[in-house]
Amino acid sequence: MLFLNSCGLFQFYAPWCGYCKKLEPIWHEVGAELKSSGSPVRVGKMDATAYSGMASEFGVRGYPTIKLLKGDLAYNYKGPRTKDDIVEFANRVAGPAVRALPSKQMFEHMMKRHDVLFVYVGGDSPLKEKYNDAASELIVYTYFFSASEEALPESVSLPELPAVVVFKDGGYFTYDEYEDSSLSLWVNKERFQGYLQIDGFTLYELGETGGVCSFSIYNVFIPEFHFPLLKTLMQRVAKEYREHFNRDFQFGHMDGNDYINSLIMGEVTVPSVIILNTSNEQYFLPSEPIESMEQLVQFISSVLNGSAQAYGGDGIIQRIKRVAFDARSTIMSVFRSSPLLGCFLFGLPLGVISLMCYGICTAESDDGSDDIDAPKREGLTDEEEEEEEEERQRAAALEGPEEEDEDVGEKDPEEKKTD
């Protein structure tokens, strides 16, 4: 294939896919941007329906699928489908997995550019090998750097070297091999800021952290006076209680409640606080409005120790409800956006089914009209059948003499003469 021995950004699409058509102008902008900037990344696309074997080889299961092919490796892009995000992904993955920061000036420059910065400090070691492996795996999400101790700001003091440090939220935090276990899991968790704005894509990313972010806290709000209070409380808890909650919780806020309503199949009042378990789709609501940091900490602690009331989940009943809810939401959205189209899509099949049922029922009624008395006779007992037979014989006997009298009354003219 063209990009296997070089570096290329590749889109697998289907001609009938609406999302692919929507991505088309953005894809042209991505190609133009990478070419004008002198990037070594080449941009292309393939009709996955025409080359299904090639698409299957690269594990394409939906459209559009964006992959960066680098040597023998293929990196999936799962971010927002915007020009800037795709270009940034291509440049990040196409370069080295770990980039060097040779000076304090370069270090400070990168600190200004990135909200979250992972840095390996020290010489060759087993920890460096683990860091390189984690970088190769997670380069699709964030940048990885290495630096000497001399390149660090004077305010940074590390207890021992080598070390892996993440700089974010106005501070820095060191990886502890004994407490944090896997370096990849630690990086996957720490790549998010302590408090961030959450949307559908961010929620998807949180769900893919493999249970590291078991819970996510959302402040669902509309612009009114109560929101600044809740936001301030949550930011304080995220920072001041980091050691208590950072392993299990991700803090943030979400604009509006439409997305969260569809997620929990219910109605969340705004503004409010909700805790969502991304591993099993359970969610938790406070029993009373949150108005102080003590109330918020108590609510989070109750979820952590299992005493809070859990709602939702991923059981069979909830899955059935999800199917019904999604079907209802789809129908309602179609009717809201285009009533005529909704009537055509759902009214026409119902009309056809009604006509078929009417035809079947009418056909059964016509077939049974010729033998309408048959069901009645089939339901008679033996005694009733004998009585019916006797009545039939009596009726025949009464009809017999009348016929004979008629015969007697009608004599031949010769018989009359004889008489």
Side-chain angles (χ1 to χ4, degrees):
M1 188 178 176
L2 178 62
F3 293 143
L4 282 179
N5 295 321
S6 59
C7 189
L9 188 64
F10 215 43
Q11 177 200 168
F12 294 87
Y13 72 97
W16 46 260
C17 173
Y19 294 105
C20 300
K21 295 177 181 178
K22 187 177 180 180
L23 179 63
E24 186 66 19
I26 299 175
W27 196 248
H28 283 293
E29 293 178 2
V30 169
E33 175 74 16
L34 290 173
K35 184 177 181 180
S36 63
S37 64
S39 172
V41 179
R42 291 181 288 174
V43 179
K45 63 180 183 177
M46 174 181 287
D47 184 351
T49 61
Y51 299 93
S52 57
M54 186 69 69
S56 177
E57 180 181 345
F58 282 97
V60 176
R61 295 184 177 85
Y63 309 112
T65 294
I66 299 174
K67 291 178 178 286
L68 189 136
L69 308 181
K70 183 180 178 181
D72 295 333
L73 301 177
Y75 296 89
N76 291 328
Y77 176 70
K78 301 179 181 179
R81 297 186 186 122
T82 64
K83 185 199 74 172
D84 293 339
D85 287 306
I86 296 175
V87 168
E88 198 270 344
F89 164 81
N91 289 328
R92 181 175 67 247
V93 178
V98 179
R99 292 166 166 83
L101 299 177
S103 64
K104 289 186 178 182
Q105 292 77 8
M106 181 63 71
F107 191 96
E108 292 175 356
H109 175 69
M110 287 301 166
M111 285 282 291
K112 294 177 181 179
R113 287 189 57 187
H114 302 282
D115 296 324
V116 179
L117 194 71
F118 289 97
V119 181
Y120 172 82
V121 183
D124 293 337
S125 67
L127 180 60
K128 184 177 182 179
E129 295 179 4
K130 293 181 181 179
Y131 183 76
N132 291 337
D133 293 340
S136 299
E137 176 188 354
L138 301 174
I139 189 66
V140 293
Y141 297 116
T142 187
Y143 284 92
F144 293 86
F145 298 92
S146 64
S148 63
E149 189 174 10
E150 291 74 17
L152 299 179
E154 296 179 358
S155 60
V156 177
S157 176
L158 300 178
E160 60 180 2
L161 294 178
V164 177
V165 188
V166 58
F167 294 84
K168 67 176 186 177
D169 301 329
Y172 62 94
F173 310 95
T174 306
Y175 166 70
D176 190 318
E177 189 172 2
Y178 299 101
E179 292 186 4
D180 298 314
S181 184
S182 168
L183 178 59
S184 295
L185 292 179
W186 180 81
V187 170
N188 206 16
K189 163 63 181 171
E190 295 292 347
R191 64 188 175 92
F192 299 99
Q193 292 178 269
Y195 184 92
L196 68 162
Q197 181 170 344
I198 297 174
D199 54 18
F201 170 70
T202 310
L203 184 62
Y204 172 79
E205 281 197 313
L206 290 171
E208 283 207 328
T209 54
V212 178
C213 296
S214 298
F215 298 92
S216 302
I217 296 182
Y218 304 93
N219 176 210
V220 186
F221 74 97
I222 54 177
E224 54 183 59
F225 70 94
H226 194 52
F227 166 66
L229 172 62
L230 286 176
K231 182 178 180 180
T232 301
L233 291 178
M234 297 186 75
Q235 288 176 329
R236 286 184 59 190
V237 171
K239 185 174 182 179
E240 298 177 17
Y241 287 81
R242 172 184 164 84
E243 294 185 1
H244 297 85
F245 300 139
N246 182 63
R247 293 179 183 274
D248 302 297
F249 294 91
Q250 174 63 52
F251 295 84
H253 70 265
M254 178 176 285
D255 295 338
N257 63 344
D258 291 339
Y259 187 89
I260 204 71
N261 284 346
S262 64
L263 192 68
I264 68 174
M265 297 181 290
E267 185 73 21
V268 177
T269 58
V270 289
S272 63
V273 176
I274 181 172
I275 296 180
L276 176 68
N277 187 334
T278 56
S279 64
N280 61 10
E281 298 183 5
Q282 285 186 339
Y283 64 94
F284 305 83
L285 297 171
S287 57
E288 57 185 5
I290 302 296
E291 297 181 351
S292 66
M293 193 165 72
E294 290 74 18
Q295 287 179 308
L296 182 56
V297 171
Q298 184 178 3
F299 173 51
I300 299 172
S301 300
S302 67
V303 173
L304 195 59
N305 61 34
S307 61
Q309 174 67 46
Y311 303 92
D314 57 357
I316 295 177
I317 296 177
Q318 287 298 123
R319 292 179 184 178
I320 295 174
K321 289 182 179 180
R322 167 60 61 185
V323 172
F325 180 84
D326 290 343
R328 176 179 173 274
S329 300
T330 301
I331 294 173
M332 294 299 293
S333 63
V334 171
F335 274 99
R336 287 195 198 99
S337 59
S338 179
L340 292 178
L341 179 61
C343 292
F344 177 77
L345 291 177
F346 301 104
L348 182 61
L350 290 175
V352 173
I353 294 172
S354 300
L355 290 175
M356 292 174 62
C357 294
Y358 176 78
I360 294 172
C361 295
T362 305
E364 291 179 352
S365 299
D366 293 342
D367 294 341
S369 61
D370 296 337
D371 196 17
I372 194 168
D373 293 333
K376 295 180 180 180
R377 287 197 291 271
E378 290 176 359
L380 296 177
T381 62
D382 294 340
E383 294 179 356
E384 291 175 343
E385 289 181 357
E386 291 178 0
E387 292 178 359
E388 185 178 346
E389 184 64 27
E390 290 177 0
E391 291 179 0
R392 197 178 295 113
Q393 290 177 359
R394 287 196 215 98
L398 292 174
E399 292 175 359
E402 293 177 0
E403 293 177 356
E404 291 178 0
D405 292 341
E406 292 177 0
D407 294 340
V408 172
E410 296 179 357
K411 294 182 179 180
D412 294 338
E414 295 181 357
E415 291 180 358
K416 290 180 179 179
K417 291 179 182 179
T418 304
D419 294 339

